């Protein structure tokens, strides 16, 4: 029987409210789960973290999706297979369950770091998926996070471990504020890794997301201090990158190269994306809803100063790499998140930003400028004092855009430009 058949059976059973009728299917479901348990097990001789690509990984993924719809005494592969199946459904367990899940969680956090890597990896994923249950059972929260953090310093587990922490933090941020300094210190540790640079950066991104989520629960002074602590190293490193001479690095596709993190750290996009990662999680400040410029100064967002410094280094980056579409696009995304977080309080750098965008657009027609401009119109379109400047911006961008679109096959070759231009124009209509 295929996954699709079992999916349809589960859909049918969910539509019944007759427990006696459903009970008739129980023996078959148990046999089915037992078969899945046997088939999804890794080879006992498997060493290291198994490859997550290939037919077997695809089978486990399909089994995971199917189960989402619908013992410590064994060998490591038997235990891992059982935990893998449990991880697919633990997110659906009611938070009030206090018989099986507590024993399971306690058993996992007793696993030593010397356990088989595949077993540890699945255990990390399971605990991350149990974030809702942990949020309602806070007595287990501290030990779970401590166990995951212990594995997060190991390169092989850094990315999944920090992702699990991020999931848990989203559900339990007020109880985990003490994690902020630990996660901040974890970032430079991950940067020292001599291998798997891309995976280390994924882990760092999860750290930044979790940190920012936690920081937003602090008082205003704490928000200002901690966001500055996160952002200042980014400013310094990005300034260093844009002021240095570009170097051609070999081994671009060799993830296991000893200098892989150092290689990607020499590119501005890494640091630009860290800014976006932080400010994507920053909740818009209440003062941003004010509609008059005069009221902004009296209710400044705690991150206004550091956001201004970040804008300044992003502006320098735009100037330095104005012809590099990828860098410009990532800069625009980061600026967009900063503007959204500040609302009208971004007025201090919006006017020079518009001037800079129009200047660069006259030479390089980056469509991301059109998208960013639509965000600015959203925020400032209701302010009469800025409307003339916004109209000049529209005319400037429209002229440059039509120059591109009137070329042979212009609309076909620049679909994003067409989309972004219409989005910008619509902002002026509503």
């Amino acid at each position: 029987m295929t996954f699709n058949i079992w999916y349809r059976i589960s859909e049918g059973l969910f539509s019944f409210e007759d427990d006696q009728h459903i009970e008739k299917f129980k023996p078959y479901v148990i046999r089915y789960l037992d078969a899945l348990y046997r088939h999804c097990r890794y080879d006992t001789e498997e060493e290291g973290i198994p490859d997550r690509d290939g037919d077997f990984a695809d089978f486990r993924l399909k089994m995971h999706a199917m189960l989402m719809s619908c013992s410590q005494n064994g060998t490591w592969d038997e235990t891992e297979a059982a935990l893998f199946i449990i991880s697919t459904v633990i997110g659906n367990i009611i938070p009030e369950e206090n018989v099986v899940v507590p024993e399971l969680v306690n058993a996992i956090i007793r696993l030593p770091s010397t356990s088989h890597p595949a077993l540890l990896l699945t255990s990390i994923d399971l605990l991350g998926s149990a974030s809702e249950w942990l949020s309602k059972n806070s007595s287990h929260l501290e030990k779970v996070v401590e166990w995951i953090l212990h594995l997060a310093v190991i390169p092989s587990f850094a990315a999944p471990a920090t992702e699990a922490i991020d999931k848990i933090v989203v559900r339990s941020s007020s109880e985990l504020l003490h994690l902020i300094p630990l996660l901040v210190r974890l970032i430079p540790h991950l940067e020292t890794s001599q291998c798997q640079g891309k995976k280390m950066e994924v882990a760092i991104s999860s750290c930044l997301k979790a940190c920012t989520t936690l920081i937003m629960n602090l008082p205003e002074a704490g928000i200002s201090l901690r966001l500055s602590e996160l952002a200042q190293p980014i400013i310094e490193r990005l300034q260093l990158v844009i002021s240095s001479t570009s170097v051609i690095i070999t081994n671009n596709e060799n993830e296991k190269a000893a200098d892989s993190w150092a290689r990607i750290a020499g590119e501005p996009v890494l640091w630009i994306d860290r800014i976006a990662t932080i400010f994507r999680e920053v909740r818009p400040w209440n003062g941003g809803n004010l509609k008059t410029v005069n009221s902004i100064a009296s209710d400044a967002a705690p991150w206004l100063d550091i956001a201004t410094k970040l804008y300044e280094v992003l502006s320098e980056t735009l100037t330095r790499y104005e012809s590099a579409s990828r860098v410009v696009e990532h800069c625009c995304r980061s600026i967009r998140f900063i503007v959204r977080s500040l609302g009208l309080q971004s007025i201090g750098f919006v006017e020079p930003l518009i001037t800079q965008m129009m200047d660069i657009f006259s030479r390089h027609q980056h469509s991301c400028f059109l998208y960013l401009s639509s965000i600015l119109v959203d925020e400032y379109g209701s302010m009469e004092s800025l409307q003339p400047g916004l109209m000049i911006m529209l005319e400037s961008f429209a002229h440059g855009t039509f120059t591109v679109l009137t070329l042979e096959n212009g609309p076909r070759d620049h679909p994003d430009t067409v989309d972004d231009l219409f989005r910008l124009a619509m902002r002026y209509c509503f």
Side-chain angles (χ1 to χ4, degrees):
M1 295 174 67
T2 65
F3 285 137
N4 187 51
I5 292 175
W6 281 105
Y7 173 77
R8 290 181 178 276
I9 291 175
S10 67
E11 287 285 290
L13 290 176
F14 271 115
S15 66
F16 281 98
E17 296 184 0
D18 185 345
D19 291 341
Q20 290 184 344
H21 179 74
I22 295 175
E23 189 71 18
K24 297 176 183 178
F25 291 84
K26 185 175 180 179
Y28 303 102
V29 173
I30 292 175
R31 288 174 58 189
Y32 176 54
L33 290 174
D34 182 62
L36 288 177
Y37 166 71
R38 286 183 281 106
H39 285 301
C40 77
R41 283 167 52 184
Y42 286 114
D43 190 326
T44 307
E45 304 302 320
E46 182 79 46
E47 296 181 358
I49 296 180
D51 187 1
R52 289 196 165 185
D53 296 320
D55 293 339
F56 183 61
D58 183 59
F59 168 79
R60 282 168 59 104
L61 183 62
K62 289 179 179 178
M63 192 209 73
H64 183 285
M66 185 282 306
L67 286 175
M68 287 294 289
S69 315
C70 338
S71 88
Q72 292 296 316
N73 295 325
T75 59
W76 77 263
D77 54 305
E78 293 173 336
T79 304
E80 190 279 336
L83 291 179
F84 178 78
I85 291 176
I86 294 171
S87 71
T88 66
V89 297
I90 196 167
N92 296 326
I93 293 177
I94 59 173
E96 292 74 22
E97 203 289 320
N98 60 3
V99 178
V100 177
V101 179
E103 292 186 7
L104 173 65
V105 169
N106 288 330
I108 288 176
I109 62 178
R110 285 197 298 267
L111 288 173
S113 59
T114 54
S115 301
H116 194 283
L119 176 58
L120 293 175
L121 185 62
T122 298
S123 298
I124 292 170
D125 291 341
L126 187 151
L127 293 176
S129 299
S131 58
E132 183 178 4
W133 185 88
L134 288 169
S135 69
K136 302 297 183 181
N137 296 268
S138 56
S139 60
H140 298 271
L141 198 57
E142 187 70 30
K143 291 182 179 179
V144 166
V145 172
E146 181 181 349
W147 185 80
I148 298 175
L149 273 175
H150 181 68
L151 293 173
V153 300
I154 303 173
S156 300
F157 301 115
T162 51
E163 181 183 358
I165 290 173
D166 181 42
K167 290 179 180 178
I168 294 171
V169 161
V170 168
R171 296 277 190 176
S172 309
S173 55
S174 60
E175 292 89 354
L176 296 172
L177 296 180
H178 64 282
L179 286 183
I180 295 174
L182 297 177
L183 292 173
V184 170
R185 289 197 296 270
L186 179 59
I187 292 173
H189 172 80
L190 295 174
E191 290 176 346
T192 63
S193 176
Q194 298 300 307
C195 61
Q196 300 181 338
K198 292 180 181 178
K199 292 181 180 179
M200 292 305 101
E201 191 57 30
V202 170
I204 291 169
S205 178
S206 294
C207 283
L208 291 172
K209 288 172 60 181
C211 268
T212 308
T213 300
L214 294 170
I215 288 170
M216 296 311 294
N217 289 274
L218 296 175
E220 291 183 28
I223 293 175
S224 176
L225 176 65
R226 290 301 188 179
L227 280 183
S228 297
E229 186 178 27
L230 278 186
Q232 190 59 42
I234 298 174
I235 294 173
E236 295 171 0
R237 293 298 294 270
L238 184 53
Q239 286 176 331
L240 183 64
V241 170
I242 63 179
S243 62
S244 63
T245 304
S246 299
V247 179
I248 299 176
I249 307 291
T250 57
N251 294 327
N252 283 344
E253 300 302 324
N254 185 3
E255 174 61 23
K256 296 182 179 179
D259 64 340
S260 60
W261 189 86
R263 171 176 55 80
I264 61 176
E267 299 178 0
V269 168
L270 180 144
W271 305 102
I272 296 168
D273 284 351
R274 286 195 185 184
I275 299 172
T277 297
I278 293 172
F279 277 85
R280 184 188 287 112
E281 306 303 321
V282 173
R283 294 194 297 268
W285 187 244
N286 290 335
N289 293 325
L290 301 176
K291 296 301 181 184
T292 60
V293 178
N294 293 333
S295 62
I296 295 175
S298 63
D299 192 22
W303 56 88
L304 178 58
D305 290 342
I306 193 64
T308 302
K309 293 179 181 178
L310 286 167
Y311 162 72
E312 290 170 354
V313 73
L314 288 170
S315 177
E316 292 179 37
T317 307
L318 283 174
T319 300
R320 173 73 168 79
Y321 297 94
E322 66 172 45
S323 62
S325 298
R326 180 167 173 264
V327 176
V328 171
E329 181 178 345
H330 285 252
C331 279
C332 286
R333 185 176 61 156
S334 292
I335 293 173
R336 170 166 62 94
F337 287 127
I338 291 174
V339 170
R340 285 299 197 194
S341 75
L342 290 171
L344 295 182
Q345 295 187 37
S346 60
I347 187 68
F349 54 79
V350 162
E351 292 190 46
L353 170 62
I354 291 174
T355 301
Q356 182 180 27
M357 287 195 299
M358 290 193 299
D359 176 55
I360 295 176
F361 198 79
S362 66
R363 296 183 294 276
H364 309 283
Q365 289 74 42
H366 301 297
S367 68
C368 55
F369 282 154
L370 303 177
Y371 184 84
L372 179 56
S373 297
S374 69
I375 302 299
L376 299 180
V377 175
D378 268 351
E379 295 292 339
Y380 293 97
S382 61
M383 297 179 64
E384 293 184 5
S385 61
L386 293 182
Q387 288 174 359
L390 293 175
M391 286 302 301
I392 294 173
M393 178 185 72
L394 175 62
E395 292 173 3
S396 174
F397 285 150
H399 177 75
T401 302
F402 290 141
T403 301
V404 172
L405 297 181
T406 53
L407 298 174
E408 184 178 0
N409 299 322
R412 188 191 68 183
D413 295 339
H414 303 278
D416 291 341
T417 300
V418 175
D419 186 43
D420 291 333
L421 178 62
F422 271 93
R423 180 184 291 106
L424 174 59
M426 287 175 63
R427 294 298 192 274
Y428 285 84
C429 300
F430 297 99

